[in-house]
Amino acid sequence: MVSKKAKKQQDSMNSRIKLVMKSGKAILGYKHSMKSLRKGKAKMLLIASNCPHLRKSEVEYMAMLAKCQVHHYGGDNTALGTACGKLYNCSVMAITDAGDSDILTAGNEK
């Protein structure tokens, strides 16, 4: 059973992701997210809850080297893909431009 507070946080994160997809720039997928991290373009990473542990630790390590924020998304990769408005799964998402969304400042609050 998910608490009301966790559900509300999930909904607010989903609305922020939708706003980023509409007004900003985001990169979906592990390989392209890692490329944007290496180039220093990514400002924030979202990792799905069911991302494999080895891949998750690798992404977190690269984000630490690139001084990039990391947010562990509460839903699985299907929910993250749906929040992005896509019809496929997505385990890692990199945000390069937030657009009108306040997701970069809201990612620090937990």
Side-chain angles (χ1 to χ4, degrees):
M1 185 78 186
V2 180
S3 67
K4 284 187 177 183
K5 186 177 180 183
K7 181 76 170 160
K8 190 173 183 181
Q9 280 182 330
Q10 185 77 15
D11 290 342
S12 67
M13 185 54 85
N14 284 347
S15 62
R16 288 182 180 124
I17 291 172
K18 285 179 185 175
L19 193 57
V20 166
M21 295 303 286
K22 194 168 195 172
S23 65
K25 290 186 180 179
I27 297 170
L28 302 177
Y30 167 73
K31 287 183 181 178
H32 290 292
S33 296
M34 292 298 279
K35 282 183 183 178
S36 70
L37 266 177
R38 283 194 293 264
K39 291 180 181 177
K41 292 182 179 178
K43 295 179 182 170
M44 183 177 196
L45 281 176
L46 284 99
I47 303 174
S49 64
N50 65 342
C51 184
H53 184 70
L54 183 65
R55 181 172 289 184
K56 186 184 290 189
S57 61
E58 183 182 0
V59 169
E60 287 172 346
Y61 178 71
M62 290 296 290
M64 180 203 59
L65 291 178
K67 297 184 176 87
C68 177
Q69 296 179 24
V70 176
H71 177 78
H72 296 281
Y73 186 72
D76 60 351
N77 57 359
T78 307
L80 183 57
T82 305
C84 295
K86 304 297 181 188
L87 297 174
Y88 48 83
N89 302 341
C90 173
S91 62
V92 180
M93 172 182 168
I95 297 172
T96 56
D97 178 28
D100 297 333
S101 177
D102 63 341
I103 195 166
L104 296 178
T105 57
N108 295 335
E109 303 165 3
K110 283 197 176 183

